[in-house]
Coordinates of all heavy atoms in Angstrom, one line a residue:
Chain A
N1605 N 210.5 -104.4 -9.2 CA 209.3 -105.0 -8.8 C 208.2 -104.5 -9.7 O 207.7 -103.4 -9.7 CB 209.0 -104.6 -7.4 CG 207.8 -105.3 -6.8 OD1 207.2 -106.2 -7.5 ND2 207.5 -105.0 -5.5
I1606 N 207.8 -105.4 -10.7 CA 206.8 -105.1 -11.7 C 205.7 -106.0 -11.6 O 205.8 -107.2 -11.5 CB 207.5 -105.2 -13.1 CG1 208.7 -104.3 -13.2 CG2 206.4 -104.8 -14.2 CD1 209.5 -104.6 -14.5
L1607 N 204.5 -105.5 -11.6 CA 203.2 -106.3 -11.6 C 202.4 -105.7 -12.8 O 202.0 -104.6 -12.8 CB 202.5 -106.1 -10.3 CG 201.0 -106.7 -10.3 CD1 201.1 -108.3 -10.5 CD2 200.3 -106.4 -9.1
N1608 N 202.3 -106.5 -13.8 CA 201.6 -106.1 -15.0 C 200.2 -106.8 -15.1 O 200.2 -107.9 -15.5 CB 202.4 -106.4 -16.3 CG 201.8 -105.9 -17.5 OD1 200.8 -105.1 -17.5 ND2 202.3 -106.3 -18.7
V1609 N 199.2 -106.1 -14.7 CA 197.9 -106.6 -14.7 C 197.1 -106.0 -15.8 O 196.8 -104.8 -15.8 CB 197.1 -106.4 -13.3 CG1 195.7 -106.8 -13.4 CG2 197.9 -107.1 -12.2
S1621 N 193.7 -110.9 -21.2 CA 194.7 -110.2 -20.6 C 195.8 -111.1 -19.9 O 195.7 -111.5 -18.8 CB 194.1 -109.3 -19.5 OG 193.1 -108.5 -20.1
H1622 N 196.8 -111.4 -20.6 CA 197.9 -112.1 -20.1 C 198.7 -111.2 -19.1 O 199.0 -110.0 -19.5 CB 198.9 -112.5 -21.2 CG 198.2 -113.4 -22.2 ND1 198.4 -114.8 -22.3 CD2 197.3 -113.1 -23.2 CE1 197.6 -115.3 -23.3 NE2 196.9 -114.3 -23.8
S1623 N 198.9 -111.6 -17.9 CA 199.5 -110.8 -16.9 C 200.8 -111.4 -16.4 O 200.9 -112.7 -16.5 CB 198.5 -110.5 -15.8 OG 197.4 -109.8 -16.3
W1624 N 201.6 -110.7 -15.8 CA 202.9 -111.2 -15.3 C 203.5 -110.4 -14.2 O 203.0 -109.2 -14.0 CB 203.9 -111.4 -16.4 CG 204.2 -110.2 -17.2 CD1 203.6 -109.8 -18.3 CD2 205.3 -109.2 -16.9 NE1 204.2 -108.6 -18.8 CE2 205.2 -108.2 -18.0 CE3 206.2 -109.0 -15.9 CZ2 206.0 -107.1 -18.0 CZ3 207.1 -107.9 -16.0 CH2 206.9 -107.0 -17.0
F1625 N 204.4 -110.9 -13.4 CA 205.1 -110.1 -12.4 C 206.6 -110.6 -12.4 O 206.9 -111.7 -12.8 CB 204.4 -110.2 -11.1 CG 204.6 -111.5 -10.4 CD1 205.8 -111.9 -9.7 CD2 203.6 -112.5 -10.4 CE1 205.9 -113.1 -9.0 CE2 203.7 -113.7 -9.8 CZ 204.9 -114.0 -9.1
L1626 N 207.4 -109.7 -11.9 CA 208.8 -109.9 -11.8 C 209.3 -109.2 -10.6 O 209.1 -108.0 -10.4 CB 209.6 -109.5 -13.1 CG 211.1 -109.5 -13.0 CD1 211.6 -111.0 -12.9 CD2 211.7 -108.9 -14.2
Q1627 N 210.0 -109.9 -9.7 CA 210.6 -109.3 -8.5 C 212.1 -109.7 -8.4 O 212.4 -110.9 -8.5 CB 209.9 -109.7 -7.2 CG 208.4 -109.4 -7.2 CD 207.6 -110.1 -6.1 OE1 208.0 -111.2 -5.7 NE2 206.5 -109.6 -5.7
V1628 N 213.0 -108.8 -8.3 CA 214.4 -109.1 -8.1 C 214.9 -108.2 -7.0 O 214.7 -107.0 -7.0 CB 215.2 -108.8 -9.4 CG1 216.7 -109.1 -9.2 CG2 214.6 -109.5 -10.6
F1644 N 217.0 -112.8 -4.1 CA 215.8 -113.5 -4.6 C 215.4 -113.0 -5.9 O 215.7 -111.8 -6.3 CB 214.7 -113.5 -3.6 CG 213.8 -112.2 -3.7 CD1 212.6 -112.2 -4.5 CD2 214.3 -111.1 -3.2 CE1 211.9 -111.1 -4.6 CE2 213.5 -109.9 -3.3 CZ 212.3 -109.9 -4.0
V1645 N 214.9 -113.9 -6.7 CA 214.2 -113.5 -8.0 C 212.9 -114.4 -8.0 O 212.9 -115.5 -7.7 CB 215.1 -113.8 -9.2 CG1 215.6 -115.2 -9.3 CG2 214.4 -113.4 -10.5
H1646 N 211.9 -113.7 -8.4 CA 210.6 -114.4 -8.4 C 209.8 -113.9 -9.6 O 209.6 -112.6 -9.8 CB 209.8 -114.1 -7.1 CG 208.6 -114.9 -6.9 ND1 207.6 -114.6 -6.0 CD2 208.0 -115.9 -7.6 CE1 206.6 -115.4 -6.0 NE2 206.8 -116.2 -7.1
A1647 N 209.3 -114.8 -10.5 CA 208.5 -114.3 -11.6 C 207.3 -115.2 -11.8 O 207.3 -116.4 -11.4 CB 209.4 -114.4 -12.9
G1648 N 206.2 -114.6 -12.3 CA 205.0 -115.4 -12.5 C 204.3 -115.0 -13.7 O 204.4 -113.8 -14.2
Y1649 N 203.4 -115.8 -14.2 CA 202.6 -115.6 -15.4 C 201.2 -116.0 -15.2 O 201.0 -117.1 -14.6 CB 203.3 -116.3 -16.6 CG 202.6 -116.0 -17.9 CD1 203.0 -114.8 -18.6 CD2 201.6 -116.8 -18.4 CE1 202.3 -114.5 -19.8 CE2 201.0 -116.5 -19.6 CZ 201.4 -115.4 -20.3 OH 200.7 -115.1 -21.5
G1650 N 200.3 -115.2 -15.6 CA 198.9 -115.7 -15.4 C 197.9 -114.8 -16.1 O 198.2 -114.2 -17.1
Y1651 N 196.7 -114.8 -15.6 CA 195.6 -114.1 -16.2 C 194.9 -113.1 -15.2 O 195.0 -113.3 -14.0 CB 194.5 -115.0 -16.8 CG 195.0 -115.7 -18.0 CD1 195.6 -117.0 -17.9 CD2 194.7 -115.2 -19.3 CE1 196.0 -117.6 -19.1 CE2 195.1 -115.8 -20.4 CZ 195.8 -117.1 -20.3 OH 196.2 -117.7 -21.4
A1652 N 194.3 -112.1 -15.8 CA 193.6 -111.2 -14.9 C 192.3 -110.8 -15.5 O 192.1 -110.9 -16.7 CB 194.5 -109.9 -14.7
A1663 N 193.7 -111.2 -10.3 CA 194.8 -111.8 -11.1 C 195.3 -113.0 -10.4 O 195.5 -113.0 -9.2 CB 195.9 -110.7 -11.3
G1664 N 195.5 -114.0 -11.2 CA 196.1 -115.3 -10.7 C 197.4 -115.6 -11.4 O 197.4 -115.5 -12.7
F1665 N 198.4 -116.1 -10.7 CA 199.7 -116.4 -11.3 C 200.2 -117.7 -10.9 O 200.1 -118.1 -9.7 CB 200.7 -115.3 -10.9 CG 200.3 -113.9 -11.3 CD1 199.6 -113.1 -10.4 CD2 200.6 -113.4 -12.5 CE1 199.3 -111.8 -10.7 CE2 200.3 -112.1 -12.9 CZ 199.6 -111.3 -11.9
F1666 N 200.9 -118.4 -11.8 CA 201.8 -119.5 -11.5 C 203.2 -119.0 -11.6 O 203.5 -118.3 -12.6 CB 201.6 -120.7 -12.4 CG 200.3 -121.4 -12.1 CD1 199.2 -121.3 -13.0 CD2 200.2 -122.2 -11.0 CE1 198.0 -121.9 -12.7 CE2 198.9 -122.8 -10.7 CZ 197.9 -122.7 -11.6
G1667 N 204.1 -119.2 -10.6 CA 205.4 -118.7 -10.7 C 206.5 -119.6 -10.2 O 206.2 -120.7 -9.8
A1668 N 207.7 -119.1 -10.3 CA 208.9 -119.8 -9.8 C 209.9 -118.8 -9.4 O 209.9 -117.7 -9.9 CB 209.4 -120.8 -10.9
G1669 N 210.8 -119.3 -8.5 CA 211.8 -118.3 -8.1 C 212.9 -119.0 -7.3 O 212.9 -120.2 -7.2
F1670 N 213.8 -118.2 -6.9 CA 215.0 -118.6 -6.1 C 215.2 -117.7 -5.0 O 215.2 -116.4 -5.2 CB 216.2 -118.7 -7.0 CG 217.4 -119.2 -6.3 CD1 217.7 -120.6 -6.2 CD2 218.4 -118.3 -5.8 CE1 218.8 -121.0 -5.5 CE2 219.5 -118.8 -5.2 CZ 219.7 -120.1 -5.0
F1681 N 212.0 -122.6 -5.6 CA 210.5 -122.8 -5.2 C 209.6 -122.5 -6.4 O 210.0 -121.8 -7.4 CB 210.2 -121.9 -4.1 CG 210.2 -120.4 -4.4 CD1 209.1 -119.7 -4.9 CD2 211.4 -119.7 -4.1 CE1 209.2 -118.4 -5.2 CE2 211.4 -118.3 -4.3 CZ 210.3 -117.7 -4.9
L1682 N 208.5 -123.1 -6.4 CA 207.3 -122.8 -7.3 C 206.3 -122.0 -6.5 O 206.4 -122.0 -5.2 CB 206.7 -124.1 -7.8 CG 207.6 -125.0 -8.6 CD1 206.9 -126.3 -8.9 CD2 208.0 -124.3 -9.9
S1683 N 205.5 -121.3 -7.1 CA 204.5 -120.5 -6.4 C 203.2 -120.3 -7.1 O 203.1 -120.5 -8.3 CB 205.1 -119.1 -6.2 OG 205.2 -118.4 -7.4
T1684 N 202.2 -120.0 -6.3 CA 200.9 -119.6 -6.8 C 200.6 -118.2 -6.1 O 200.8 -118.1 -4.9 CB 199.8 -120.6 -6.5 OG1 199.7 -120.9 -5.1 CG2 200.0 -121.9 -7.3
N1685 N 200.0 -117.3 -6.9 CA 199.7 -116.0 -6.3 C 198.3 -115.6 -6.8 O 197.9 -115.8 -7.9 CB 200.6 -114.9 -6.8 CG 202.0 -115.1 -6.2 OD1 202.7 -116.0 -6.5 ND2 202.4 -114.2 -5.3
L1686 N 197.5 -115.1 -5.9 CA 196.2 -114.6 -6.2 C 196.2 -113.1 -5.7 O 196.4 -112.9 -4.5 CB 195.1 -115.4 -5.5 CG 193.7 -115.5 -6.1 CD1 193.8 -116.0 -7.5 CD2 192.9 -116.4 -5.3
I1687 N 195.8 -112.2 -6.6 CA 195.8 -110.8 -6.2 C 194.5 -110.2 -6.5 O 194.1 -110.2 -7.6 CB 197.0 -110.0 -6.9 CG1 198.3 -110.6 -6.6 CG2 197.0 -108.5 -6.5 CD1 199.5 -110.0 -7.3
E1703 N 199.6 -115.8 -1.2 CA 200.8 -116.3 -1.9 C 201.2 -117.6 -1.2 O 201.3 -117.7 0.0 CB 201.9 -115.3 -1.8 CG 203.2 -115.8 -2.5 CD 204.3 -114.7 -2.4 OE1 205.0 -114.7 -1.3 OE2 204.5 -114.0 -3.3
R1704 N 201.5 -118.6 -2.1 CA 202.0 -119.9 -1.5 C 203.2 -120.3 -2.3 O 203.2 -120.3 -3.5 CB 200.9 -120.9 -1.7 CG 201.2 -122.2 -0.9 CD 199.9 -123.0 -0.8 NE 200.2 -124.4 -0.3 CZ 200.4 -124.7 1.0 NH1 200.4 -123.7 1.9 NH2 200.6 -125.9 1.4
K1705 N 204.3 -120.5 -1.6 CA 205.6 -121.0 -2.2 C 205.8 -122.4 -1.8 O 205.7 -122.8 -0.6 CB 206.7 -120.1 -1.7 CG 206.7 -118.6 -2.2 CD 207.8 -117.8 -1.6 CE 207.7 -116.4 -2.1 NZ 208.7 -115.5 -1.4

Side-chain angles (χ1 to χ4, degrees):
Chain A
N1605 189 358
I1606 304 169
L1607 172 65
N1608 183 12
V1609 173
S1621 309
H1622 302 254
S1623 300
W1624 55 269
F1625 70 82
L1626 172 67
Q1627 301 165 335
V1628 181
F1644 81 99
V1645 57
H1646 186 192
Y1649 185 83
Y1651 286 91
F1665 301 92
F1666 289 106
F1670 181 83
F1681 63 86
L1682 298 174
S1683 70
T1684 54
N1685 290 68
L1686 208 57
I1687 301 175
E1703 179 179 82
R1704 188 163 172 80
K1705 291 177 181 171

